[in-house]
């Protein structure tokens, strides 16, 4: 029977390496991720430069700022570590089919029978490390006959990453107590007794170790030596949401294309129904007999498993497909999400109450006028009008604050105020007329001003005095003057919106 072999990969600076890849300008800058610990803001992770300056994880952020001048503080992203490790773990499946996320900073892999494909264990490990480092992640690696020994060598080993079969004990003896993956409290109690290396206590009577340090220490020793099995829970890779339909005879007309897409959607939605998911985006690729590929894409406002609705969106674009001499293969690729509760009602034969009808209407409109045109806005906590609203991430996103209804706001707010020329009878009075894009507007009614101060914590600048005005044709505008009237002061007038 082939002996088991395990690899441990340690990402020493996982979060900061990821951040540096996204923002290369931070490569030579000390920075940390910070998060709340009760009422305190503490360092969660630090990049190598900050660590060299004396910053450590768990340190109060204020202390870290005092130690390192110019230290940049970034907000912690709690779920990011798991997502990164899972993504890298999926990538590592090319080296072995059994890869487990080893929180908080590593991967464990069962590589039994794999290394010889790369010419042996040393070149196998070199290939993994080289490719990960080329991708921007600083890694250490170890291989042994038990996960515990591989973990220990990857983090604390000094004699190379390979522990020969059956040599776990010899590899563990010179390593510190932390290499056994034991609780910090147990480590502290071992240190108080003078046990700083594994070799100083591993041969002691097991009953005595159990009485003094608990079953956890014994379990870790037995697992590292291979006397107790440690089961890995591998990453389960989800098969891609793709459907393929080869054709016996090439399809050359719109009716045939629609039937083919309908069959693909039926198969896809059957699977999505069983998984509680729905389509957010889909692409049909039509492979022609002459080798060319024609594609059409759709998007949905929310996850949808309604075949009729999805087919209706594709139907709007079928006319853009040129079948040429015929299409011999259809491929449907889709991006899916968990479906909302009302979607389950739709699959179950219900009416799809809630947002489903609205979403489907929006999808049909977007299918005609183009993607990225329809937006939903939510209130935001800012005084400045153009910052007081933001685009919602989805149609189901709830506002963090209520819309203000005690002040007038135009139905159309311009993203950038447009410069106008204004005549006023006396300073600080509403304007008599204004010229916008060469057109004179004589004002018959005006309300205001409403003063909105500059958000000084974001930028410097003048306040704004807003007026709601109506011209002689009955059209209503939202104008503002930036700053005060004065002999030396400079001010400008702007048009910022239209009322109904």
């Amino acid at each position: 029977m082939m002996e088991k072999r395990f690899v441990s990969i340690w990402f020493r600076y996982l979060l900061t390496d990821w951040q540096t890849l996204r923002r290369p300008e931070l490569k030579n800058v000390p920075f940390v991720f910070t998060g709340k610990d009760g009422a305190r803001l503490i360092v969660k992770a630090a990049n190598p430069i900050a660590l060299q300056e004396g910053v450590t994880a768990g340190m109060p952020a204020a202390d870290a700022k005092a130690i390192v001048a110019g230290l940049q503080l970034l907000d912690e992203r709690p779920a990011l570590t798991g997502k990164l490790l899972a993504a890298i773990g999926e990538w590592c499946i090319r080296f072995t089919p059994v890869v487990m996320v080893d929180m908080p900073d590593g991967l464990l892999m069962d590589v039994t029978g794999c290394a010889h494909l790369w010419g042996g264990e040393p070149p196998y490990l070199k290939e993994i490390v080289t490719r990960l480092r080329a991708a921007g992640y600083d890694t250490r690696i170890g291989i042994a006959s038990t996960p515990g020994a591989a973990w220990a060598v990857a983090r604390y080993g000094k004699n190379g990453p390979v522990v020969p079969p059956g040599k776990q004990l010899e590899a563990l003896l010179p390593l510190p107590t932390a290499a056994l993956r034991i609780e910090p409290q147990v480590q502290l109690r071992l240190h108080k007794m003078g046990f700083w290396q594994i070799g100083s206590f591993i041969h002691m009577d097991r009953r005595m170790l159990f009485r003094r340090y608990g079953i956890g220490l014994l379990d870790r020793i037995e697992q590292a030596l291979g006397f107790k099995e440690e089961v890995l829970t591998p990453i389960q890779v989800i098969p891609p949401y793709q459907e393929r339909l080869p054709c016996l005879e090439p399809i050359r007309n719109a009716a045939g294309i629609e039937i083919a897409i309908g069959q693909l959607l039926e198969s896809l939605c059957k699977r999505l129904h069983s998984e509680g998911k729905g389509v957010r985006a889909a692409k049909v690729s039509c492979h022609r007999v002459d080798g060319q590929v024609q594609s059409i894409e759709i998007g949905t406002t929310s996850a949808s498993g309604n075949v009729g609705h999805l087919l209706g969106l594709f139907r709007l674009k079928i006319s853009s497909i040129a079948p040429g001499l015929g299409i011999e293969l259809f491929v449907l690729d889709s991006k899916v999400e968990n479906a909302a509760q009302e979607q389950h009602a739709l699959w179950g034969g219900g009416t799809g109450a809630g947002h489903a009808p609205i979403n489907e209407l929006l999808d049909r409109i977007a299918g005609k006028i183009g993607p990225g045109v329809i937006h939903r806005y939510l209130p935001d906590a800012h005084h400045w009008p153009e910052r007081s609203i933001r685009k919602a991430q989805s149609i189901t996103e709830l506002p963090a604050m209520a819309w203000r209804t005690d002040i007038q706001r135009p139905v159309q707010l311009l993203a950038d105020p447009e410069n106008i020329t204004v005549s006023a009878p006396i300073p600080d009075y509403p304007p008599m007329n204004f010229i916008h894009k060469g057109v004179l507007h004589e004002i018959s009614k005006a309300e205001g001003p409403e003063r909105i101060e500059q958000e000084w914590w974001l930028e410097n600048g003048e306040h704004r005095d807003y007026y709601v005005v109506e011209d002689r044709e009955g059209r209503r505008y939202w104008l503002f003057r930036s700053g005060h009237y004065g002999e030396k002061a400079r001010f400008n007038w702007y048009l910022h919106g239209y009322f109904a």
Side-chain angles (χ1 to χ4, degrees), residues 123-156:
Y124 179 66
L125 300 183
K126 183 179 179 182
E127 174 74 10
I128 296 174
V129 171
T130 301
R131 298 190 66 170
L132 286 173
R133 287 179 178 170
Y137 290 98
D138 189 310
T139 58
R140 287 191 50 154
I141 198 166
I143 185 168
S145 298
T146 64
W151 190 96
V153 170
R155 287 156 177 80
Y156 300 97

Side-chain angles (χ1 to χ4, degrees), residues 140-347:
R140 287 191 50 154
I141 198 166
I143 185 168
S145 298
T146 64
W151 190 96
V153 170
R155 287 156 177 80
Y156 300 97
K158 296 180 180 178
N159 299 319
V162 180
V163 179
K167 300 295 183 182
Q168 297 86 259
L169 177 61
E170 290 82 349
L172 291 172
L173 290 177
L175 302 185
T177 56
L180 283 176
R181 300 178 290 172
I182 53 180
E183 297 291 330
Q185 297 85 349
V186 179
Q187 289 183 49
L188 183 60
R189 285 154 57 193
L190 287 167
H191 293 168
K192 285 181 178 178
M193 296 298 294
F195 300 142
W196 293 89
Q197 289 183 328
I198 296 174
S200 58
F201 63 87
I202 197 170
H203 293 299
M204 295 176 68
D205 185 82
R206 293 288 191 266
R207 289 172 295 180
M208 189 279 291
L209 290 176
F210 171 70
R211 286 197 303 272
R212 286 182 175 272
Y213 305 106
I215 190 65
L217 175 62
L218 290 185
D219 284 345
R220 287 306 194 188
I221 292 175
E222 300 295 300
Q223 288 175 344
L225 296 178
F227 300 139
K228 184 174 184 178
E229 186 178 6
E230 184 173 356
V231 179
L232 303 189
T233 304
I235 296 171
Q236 299 295 328
V237 179
I238 300 174
Y241 292 94
Q242 184 186 82
E243 298 290 337
R244 301 169 66 89
L245 179 63
C247 304
L248 293 176
E249 294 291 337
I251 303 297
R252 299 179 181 176
N253 54 54
I257 295 172
E258 182 177 336
I259 292 171
I261 295 175
Q263 291 184 14
L264 292 171
L265 290 172
E266 288 280 358
S267 300
L268 175 66
C269 291
K270 185 177 180 180
R271 175 188 172 188
L272 296 180
H273 184 190
S274 63
E275 298 179 4
K277 299 182 182 296
V279 174
R280 283 301 311 273
K283 173 183 176 182
V284 171
S285 300
C286 306
H287 296 256
R288 304 192 328 191
V289 294
D290 59 2
Q292 292 192 24
V293 179
Q294 302 263 309
S295 301
I296 53 175
E297 300 180 41
I298 63 166
T300 61
T301 305
S302 61
S304 174
N306 186 342
V307 175
H309 173 59
L310 297 173
L311 181 58
L313 298 179
F314 274 118
R315 193 179 290 126
L316 297 172
K317 301 184 176 182
I318 287 177
S319 60
S320 65
I321 297 175
L325 298 176
I327 300 168
E328 58 181 359
L329 173 66
F330 292 88
V331 179
L332 171 64
D333 293 288
S334 57
K335 178 183 176 183
V336 306
E337 287 183 358
N338 291 330
Q341 189 62 38
E342 58 267 24
Q343 193 61 54
H344 292 290
L346 185 63
W347 286 330

Side-chain angles (χ1 to χ4, degrees), residues 66-86:
I67 293 173
V68 182
L71 181 68
Q72 292 202 23
L73 306 183
L74 307 176
D75 291 335
E76 178 194 24
R77 300 179 62 176
L80 179 61
T81 299
K83 291 180 180 177
L84 283 176
L85 290 175

